[in-house]
Amino acid sequence: QSVLTQPPSVSGAPGQRVTISCTGSSSNIGAGYDVHWYQQLPGSAPKLLIYNNIKRPSGVPDRFSGSKSGTSASLAITGLQTEDEADYYCQSYDSSLSAVAFGGGTKLTVL
Amino acid sequence: EVQLVVSGGGVIRPGGSLRLSCAASGFTFDDYHMTWVRQAPGKGLEWVSGITWNGGDTTYAESVRGRFTISRDNAKNSLFLQMNSLRTEDTAFYYCARQGSIASRQFDYWGQGTQVTVSS
């Protein structure tokens, strides 16, 4: 049971916008620790998608954006494409665990 | 180009030991903290262990503390994970990753991973 809660699945049609939530608590996101997002395509290693809540690494399309407020964070994907079909994970640090924490992951299906 | 190549996985009986290696190239290895993350079959990502740039500080998930040991050899640009007293629940794909920032702990580059199967 992760301290960061994500919906197990989300879906959307090509071209649409979807959001994936990451809900934490006062010992992680709410304590001010940064949230990062990863995309894991089937059979591949995770790839950093968003870091420090809102920043995109070089090469990541601006269709992907992150936000953070209070004890939650969100990943938004606009202009959905079939190649966006993947698992998405949020990550932060938890001071109660004194450890890095990942969300349980969200499977994005592009209909 | 940053590369992390993981090796050392395999099939091992419960109670056994295994040592994973991660060979780094394409960046100044001793400028970065490093970490191990695992993924059990069909499950999500689980952070396992982290080590500072000089090996001076190590941290572990509660699930592996006392059984796993992370280390590094900066002269050989290599990261290691010594896994002892392995349990069936340690069965997973193990990734090494570079921590891109000391402050915010994002993992900006990942190795391809190696499968560890603990089974009798």
Side-chain angles (χ1 to χ4, degrees):
Chain A
Q1 201 82 326
S2 176
V3 295
L4 302 177
T5 301
Q6 298 180 234
S9 63
V10 297
S11 62
Q16 285 190 333
R17 178 182 186 269
V18 296
T19 61
I20 299 173
S21 61
C22 176
T23 303
S25 68
S26 58
S27 63
N28 41 68
I29 299 175
Y33 294 106
D34 288 321
V35 178
H36 319 294
W37 292 90
Y38 301 87
Q39 177 193 59
Q40 187 177 31
L41 297 170
S44 297
K47 168 191 169 185
L48 181 65
L49 203 60
I50 296 289
Y51 68 102
N52 292 8
N53 310 310
I54 61 172
K55 297 181 180 180
R56 277 188 312 275
S58 173
V60 173
D62 60 7
R63 301 187 297 105
F64 296 90
S65 62
S67 63
K68 175 186 166 184
S69 178
T71 58
S72 296
S74 289
L75 172 71
I77 310 172
T78 59
L80 265 182
Q81 300 180 3
T82 54
E83 55 260 41
D84 297 333
E85 200 160 272
D87 294 323
Y88 292 84
Y89 295 90
C90 62
Q91 177 236 315
S92 187
Y93 181 81
D94 190 278
S95 58
S96 295
L97 300 174
S98 295
V100 168
F102 284 97
T106 298
K107 181 175 183 59
L108 168 64
T109 300
V110 181
L111 304 169
Chain B
E1 179 194 3
V2 172
Q3 282 200 327
L4 298 169
V5 179
V6 185
S7 61
V11 180
I12 190 78
R13 295 198 184 281
S17 297
L18 212 55
R19 189 192 197 210
L20 304 184
S21 299
C22 174
S25 61
F27 64 102
T28 304
F29 185 63
D30 55 11
D31 276 351
Y32 292 87
H33 298 346
M34 298 293 293
T35 200
W36 289 97
V37 175
R38 70 184 180 183
Q39 187 169 33
K43 302 295 184 182
L45 302 174
E46 180 189 13
W47 174 80
V48 173
S49 180
I51 188 167
T52 54
W53 66 274
N54 63 353
D57 189 26
T58 57
T59 51
Y60 299 91
E62 192 161 346
S63 57
V64 306
R65 193 173 296 131
R67 299 187 299 121
F68 290 12
T69 302
I70 190 172
S71 62
R72 64 191 295 162
D73 184 340
N74 286 345
K76 295 183 178 179
N77 292 340
S78 293
L79 175 72
F80 306 102
L81 186 67
Q82 177 66 43
M83 304 185 294
N84 298 331
S85 303
L86 282 162
R87 306 168 179 168
T88 55
E89 56 264 36
D90 295 318
T91 294
F93 215 73
Y94 284 73
Y95 297 99
C96 71
R98 187 181 86 167
Q99 184 173 322
S101 162
I102 291 174
S104 59
R105 302 181 182 89
Q106 76 271 25
F107 306 128
D108 60 354
Y109 286 93
W110 295 64
Q112 86 288 3
T114 189
Q115 176 68 45
V116 171
T117 301
V118 185
S119 173
S120 54

